PDB file of all heavy atoms in Angstrom:
ATOM      1  N   ILE B 411      -4.746 -17.515  14.272  1.00  0.00           N
ATOM      2  CA  ILE B 411      -3.638 -16.693  14.688  1.00  0.00           C
ATOM      3  C   ILE B 411      -3.537 -15.406  13.762  1.00  0.00           C
ATOM      4  O   ILE B 411      -3.228 -14.396  14.154  1.00  0.00           O
ATOM      5  CB  ILE B 411      -2.362 -17.400  14.585  1.00  0.00           C
ATOM      6  CG1 ILE B 411      -2.344 -18.511  15.739  1.00  0.00           C
ATOM      7  CG2 ILE B 411      -1.161 -16.540  14.886  1.00  0.00           C
ATOM      8  CD1 ILE B 411      -1.211 -19.408  15.905  1.00  0.00           C
ATOM      9  N   TYR B 412      -3.862 -15.625  12.435  1.00  0.00           N
ATOM     10  CA  TYR B 412      -3.866 -14.504  11.550  1.00  0.00           C
ATOM     11  C   TYR B 412      -4.774 -13.395  11.961  1.00  0.00           C
ATOM     12  O   TYR B 412      -4.426 -12.271  12.118  1.00  0.00           O
ATOM     13  CB  TYR B 412      -4.107 -15.051  10.248  1.00  0.00           C
ATOM     14  CG  TYR B 412      -4.131 -13.970   9.141  1.00  0.00           C
ATOM     15  CD1 TYR B 412      -2.966 -13.334   8.747  1.00  0.00           C
ATOM     16  CD2 TYR B 412      -5.277 -13.589   8.533  1.00  0.00           C
ATOM     17  CE1 TYR B 412      -2.954 -12.482   7.706  1.00  0.00           C
ATOM     18  CE2 TYR B 412      -5.319 -12.568   7.528  1.00  0.00           C
ATOM     19  CZ  TYR B 412      -4.084 -12.063   7.166  1.00  0.00           C
ATOM     20  OH  TYR B 412      -4.056 -11.099   6.198  1.00  0.00           O
ATOM     21  N   HIS B 413      -5.951 -13.871  12.364  1.00  0.00           N
ATOM     22  CA  HIS B 413      -6.924 -12.735  12.776  1.00  0.00           C
ATOM     23  C   HIS B 413      -6.549 -12.225  14.126  1.00  0.00           C
ATOM     24  O   HIS B 413      -6.652 -11.013  14.318  1.00  0.00           O
ATOM     25  CB  HIS B 413      -8.356 -13.465  12.982  1.00  0.00           C
ATOM     26  CG  HIS B 413      -8.960 -13.708  11.623  1.00  0.00           C
ATOM     27  ND1 HIS B 413      -9.059 -12.823  10.619  1.00  0.00           N
ATOM     28  CD2 HIS B 413      -9.531 -14.903  11.133  1.00  0.00           C
ATOM     29  CE1 HIS B 413      -9.745 -13.306   9.536  1.00  0.00           C
ATOM     30  NE2 HIS B 413      -9.864 -14.464   9.793  1.00  0.00           N
ATOM     31  N   GLN B 414      -5.978 -13.120  14.937  1.00  0.00           N
ATOM     32  CA  GLN B 414      -5.687 -12.429  16.328  1.00  0.00           C
ATOM     33  C   GLN B 414      -4.488 -11.556  16.206  1.00  0.00           C
ATOM     34  O   GLN B 414      -4.519 -10.475  16.915  1.00  0.00           O
ATOM     35  CB  GLN B 414      -5.192 -13.680  17.194  1.00  0.00           C
ATOM     36  CG  GLN B 414      -6.342 -14.348  17.895  1.00  0.00           C
ATOM     37  CD  GLN B 414      -5.862 -15.542  18.687  1.00  0.00           C
ATOM     38  OE1 GLN B 414      -4.740 -15.799  18.662  1.00  0.00           O
ATOM     39  NE2 GLN B 414      -6.823 -16.181  19.322  1.00  0.00           N
ATOM     40  N   ASN B 415      -3.622 -11.876  15.273  1.00  0.00           N
ATOM     41  CA  ASN B 415      -2.443 -10.900  15.029  1.00  0.00           C
ATOM     42  C   ASN B 415      -2.916  -9.638  14.667  1.00  0.00           C
ATOM     43  O   ASN B 415      -2.597  -8.561  15.189  1.00  0.00           O
ATOM     44  CB  ASN B 415      -1.498 -11.437  14.038  1.00  0.00           C
ATOM     45  CG  ASN B 415      -0.243 -11.937  14.652  1.00  0.00           C
ATOM     46  OD1 ASN B 415       0.169 -11.536  15.726  1.00  0.00           O
ATOM     47  ND2 ASN B 415       0.394 -12.837  13.940  1.00  0.00           N
ATOM     48  N   GLN B 416      -3.910  -9.668  13.761  1.00  0.00           N
ATOM     49  CA  GLN B 416      -4.463  -8.378  13.281  1.00  0.00           C
ATOM     50  C   GLN B 416      -5.099  -7.619  14.374  1.00  0.00           C
ATOM     51  O   GLN B 416      -4.925  -6.444  14.605  1.00  0.00           O
ATOM     52  CB  GLN B 416      -5.493  -8.728  12.230  1.00  0.00           C
ATOM     53  CG  GLN B 416      -4.884  -8.875  10.852  1.00  0.00           C
ATOM     54  CD  GLN B 416      -5.889  -8.779   9.793  1.00  0.00           C
ATOM     55  OE1 GLN B 416      -7.083  -9.050   9.923  1.00  0.00           O
ATOM     56  NE2 GLN B 416      -5.533  -8.187   8.702  1.00  0.00           N
ATOM     57  N   ARG B 417      -5.955  -8.357  15.207  1.00  0.00           N
ATOM     58  CA  ARG B 417      -6.561  -7.668  16.299  1.00  0.00           C
ATOM     59  C   ARG B 417      -5.475  -7.127  17.300  1.00  0.00           C
ATOM     60  O   ARG B 417      -5.757  -6.038  17.810  1.00  0.00           O
ATOM     61  CB  ARG B 417      -7.593  -8.602  16.954  1.00  0.00           C
ATOM     62  CG  ARG B 417      -9.029  -8.312  16.642  1.00  0.00           C
ATOM     63  CD  ARG B 417      -9.888  -9.173  17.453  1.00  0.00           C
ATOM     64  NE  ARG B 417     -10.029 -10.486  16.906  1.00  0.00           N
ATOM     65  CZ  ARG B 417     -10.272 -11.531  17.631  1.00  0.00           C
ATOM     66  NH1 ARG B 417     -10.226 -11.560  18.938  1.00  0.00           N
ATOM     67  NH2 ARG B 417     -10.348 -12.788  17.080  1.00  0.00           N
ATOM     68  N   ALA B 418      -4.554  -7.937  17.592  1.00  0.00           N
ATOM     69  CA  ALA B 418      -3.502  -7.395  18.594  1.00  0.00           C
ATOM     70  C   ALA B 418      -2.811  -6.216  18.083  1.00  0.00           C
ATOM     71  O   ALA B 418      -2.560  -5.234  18.883  1.00  0.00           O
ATOM     72  CB  ALA B 418      -2.556  -8.539  18.831  1.00  0.00           C
ATOM     73  N   ASP B 419      -2.499  -6.279  16.795  1.00  0.00           N
ATOM     74  CA  ASP B 419      -1.713  -4.999  16.299  1.00  0.00           C
ATOM     75  C   ASP B 419      -2.688  -3.876  16.364  1.00  0.00           C
ATOM     76  O   ASP B 419      -2.219  -2.752  16.697  1.00  0.00           O
ATOM     77  CB  ASP B 419      -1.402  -5.318  14.833  1.00  0.00           C
ATOM     78  CG  ASP B 419      -0.136  -6.130  14.730  1.00  0.00           C
ATOM     79  OD1 ASP B 419       0.605  -6.153  15.719  1.00  0.00           O
ATOM     80  OD2 ASP B 419       0.035  -6.866  13.668  1.00  0.00           O
ATOM     81  N   LYS B 420      -3.955  -4.117  16.049  1.00  0.00           N
ATOM     82  CA  LYS B 420      -4.849  -2.989  16.051  1.00  0.00           C
ATOM     83  C   LYS B 420      -5.007  -2.380  17.459  1.00  0.00           C
ATOM     84  O   LYS B 420      -5.004  -1.246  17.796  1.00  0.00           O
ATOM     85  CB  LYS B 420      -6.251  -3.485  15.517  1.00  0.00           C
ATOM     86  CG  LYS B 420      -7.133  -2.436  14.983  1.00  0.00           C
ATOM     87  CD  LYS B 420      -8.502  -2.790  14.643  1.00  0.00           C
ATOM     88  CE  LYS B 420      -8.819  -4.303  14.916  1.00  0.00           C
ATOM     89  NZ  LYS B 420     -10.291  -4.475  14.911  1.00  0.00           N
ATOM     90  N   ARG B 421      -5.094  -3.397  18.439  1.00  0.00           N
ATOM     91  CA  ARG B 421      -5.217  -2.923  19.778  1.00  0.00           C
ATOM     92  C   ARG B 421      -3.951  -2.177  20.239  1.00  0.00           C
ATOM     93  O   ARG B 421      -4.141  -1.094  20.924  1.00  0.00           O
ATOM     94  CB  ARG B 421      -5.455  -4.189  20.758  1.00  0.00           C
ATOM     95  CG  ARG B 421      -6.728  -4.025  21.565  1.00  0.00           C
ATOM     96  CD  ARG B 421      -6.856  -5.119  22.389  1.00  0.00           C
ATOM     97  NE  ARG B 421      -7.182  -6.427  21.650  1.00  0.00           N
ATOM     98  CZ  ARG B 421      -6.739  -7.591  21.951  1.00  0.00           C
ATOM     99  NH1 ARG B 421      -5.824  -7.704  22.870  1.00  0.00           N
ATOM    100  NH2 ARG B 421      -7.029  -8.592  21.310  1.00  0.00           N
ATOM    101  N   ARG B 422      -2.800  -2.621  19.844  1.00  0.00           N
ATOM    102  CA  ARG B 422      -1.598  -2.005  20.204  1.00  0.00           C
ATOM    103  C   ARG B 422      -1.527  -0.551  19.510  1.00  0.00           C
ATOM    104  O   ARG B 422      -1.198   0.394  20.282  1.00  0.00           O
ATOM    105  CB  ARG B 422      -0.318  -2.679  19.704  1.00  0.00           C
ATOM    106  CG  ARG B 422       0.443  -3.332  20.910  1.00  0.00           C
ATOM    107  CD  ARG B 422       1.644  -3.975  20.575  1.00  0.00           C
ATOM    108  NE  ARG B 422       1.287  -5.198  19.729  1.00  0.00           N
ATOM    109  CZ  ARG B 422       1.943  -5.594  18.662  1.00  0.00           C
ATOM    110  NH1 ARG B 422       3.214  -5.029  18.467  1.00  0.00           N
ATOM    111  NH2 ARG B 422       1.648  -6.669  17.907  1.00  0.00           N
ATOM    112  N   ALA B 423      -1.939  -0.603  18.311  1.00  0.00           N
ATOM    113  CA  ALA B 423      -1.871   0.802  17.659  1.00  0.00           C
ATOM    114  C   ALA B 423      -2.912   1.755  18.348  1.00  0.00           C
ATOM    115  O   ALA B 423      -2.578   2.885  18.570  1.00  0.00           O
ATOM    116  CB  ALA B 423      -2.293   0.658  16.164  1.00  0.00           C
ATOM    117  N   GLN B 424      -4.030   1.200  18.576  1.00  0.00           N
ATOM    118  CA  GLN B 424      -5.084   2.079  19.317  1.00  0.00           C
ATOM    119  C   GLN B 424      -4.586   2.455  20.687  1.00  0.00           C
ATOM    120  O   GLN B 424      -4.843   3.542  21.157  1.00  0.00           O
ATOM    121  CB  GLN B 424      -6.381   1.314  19.400  1.00  0.00           C
ATOM    122  CG  GLN B 424      -7.039   1.297  18.100  1.00  0.00           C
ATOM    123  CD  GLN B 424      -8.368   0.424  18.229  1.00  0.00           C
ATOM    124  OE1 GLN B 424      -8.684   0.054  19.258  1.00  0.00           O
ATOM    125  NE2 GLN B 424      -9.088   0.329  17.212  1.00  0.00           N
ATOM    126  N   LYS B 425      -3.797   1.521  21.315  1.00  0.00           N
ATOM    127  CA  LYS B 425      -3.382   1.987  22.749  1.00  0.00           C
ATOM    128  C   LYS B 425      -2.380   2.995  22.663  1.00  0.00           C
ATOM    129  O   LYS B 425      -2.479   4.041  23.415  1.00  0.00           O
ATOM    130  CB  LYS B 425      -2.716   0.722  23.371  1.00  0.00           C
ATOM    131  CG  LYS B 425      -2.229   0.903  24.691  1.00  0.00           C
ATOM    132  CD  LYS B 425      -1.722  -0.436  25.296  1.00  0.00           C
ATOM    133  CE  LYS B 425      -1.049  -0.068  26.690  1.00  0.00           C
ATOM    134  NZ  LYS B 425      -0.384  -1.215  27.156  1.00  0.00           N
ATOM    135  N   LYS B 426      -1.526   3.017  21.619  1.00  0.00           N
ATOM    136  CA  LYS B 426      -0.627   4.146  21.535  1.00  0.00           C
ATOM    137  C   LYS B 426      -1.348   5.321  21.356  1.00  0.00           C
ATOM    138  O   LYS B 426      -1.085   6.456  21.920  1.00  0.00           O
ATOM    139  CB  LYS B 426       0.378   3.765  20.329  1.00  0.00           C
ATOM    140  CG  LYS B 426       1.645   3.235  20.892  1.00  0.00           C
ATOM    141  CD  LYS B 426       2.934   3.464  20.011  1.00  0.00           C
ATOM    142  CE  LYS B 426       2.553   3.338  18.563  1.00  0.00           C
ATOM    143  NZ  LYS B 426       3.741   3.283  17.697  1.00  0.00           N
ATOM    144  N   ALA B 427      -2.296   5.295  20.339  1.00  0.00           N
ATOM    145  CA  ALA B 427      -3.014   6.522  19.939  1.00  0.00           C
ATOM    146  C   ALA B 427      -3.819   6.905  21.111  1.00  0.00           C
ATOM    147  O   ALA B 427      -4.056   8.114  21.348  1.00  0.00           O
ATOM    148  CB  ALA B 427      -3.907   6.253  18.747  1.00  0.00           C
ATOM    149  N   ARG B 428      -4.334   6.040  21.991  1.00  0.00           N
ATOM    150  CA  ARG B 428      -5.172   6.388  23.053  1.00  0.00           C
ATOM    151  C   ARG B 428      -4.312   7.122  24.156  1.00  0.00           C
ATOM    152  O   ARG B 428      -4.677   8.087  24.724  1.00  0.00           O
ATOM    153  CB  ARG B 428      -5.746   5.135  23.696  1.00  0.00           C
ATOM    154  CG  ARG B 428      -6.784   5.293  24.800  1.00  0.00           C
ATOM    155  CD  ARG B 428      -7.671   4.173  24.928  1.00  0.00           C
ATOM    156  NE  ARG B 428      -8.748   4.354  23.934  1.00  0.00           N
ATOM    157  CZ  ARG B 428      -9.891   5.016  24.231  1.00  0.00           C
ATOM    158  NH1 ARG B 428     -10.071   5.518  25.359  1.00  0.00           N
ATOM    159  NH2 ARG B 428     -10.740   5.142  23.344  1.00  0.00           N
ATOM    160  N   LEU B 429      -3.096   6.537  24.452  1.00  0.00           N
ATOM    161  CA  LEU B 429      -2.243   7.121  25.364  1.00  0.00           C
ATOM    162  C   LEU B 429      -1.919   8.550  24.890  1.00  0.00           C
ATOM    163  O   LEU B 429      -1.765   9.505  25.624  1.00  0.00           O
ATOM    164  CB  LEU B 429      -0.991   6.369  25.557  1.00  0.00           C
ATOM    165  CG  LEU B 429      -1.179   5.049  26.444  1.00  0.00           C
ATOM    166  CD1 LEU B 429       0.177   4.344  26.444  1.00  0.00           C
ATOM    167  CD2 LEU B 429      -1.582   5.491  27.859  1.00  0.00           C
TER     168      LEU B 429
END
Side-chain angles (χ1 to χ4, degrees):
Chain B
I411 293 180
Y412 180 68
H413 288 306
Q414 273 176 2
N415 255 333
Q416 278 198 325
R417 252 186 281 146
D419 283 338
K420 203 182 5 156
R421 238 180 288 138
R422 247 181 300 146
Q424 283 174 2
K425 184 175 169 189
K426 263 201 327 189
R428 184 156 279 270
L429 283 180

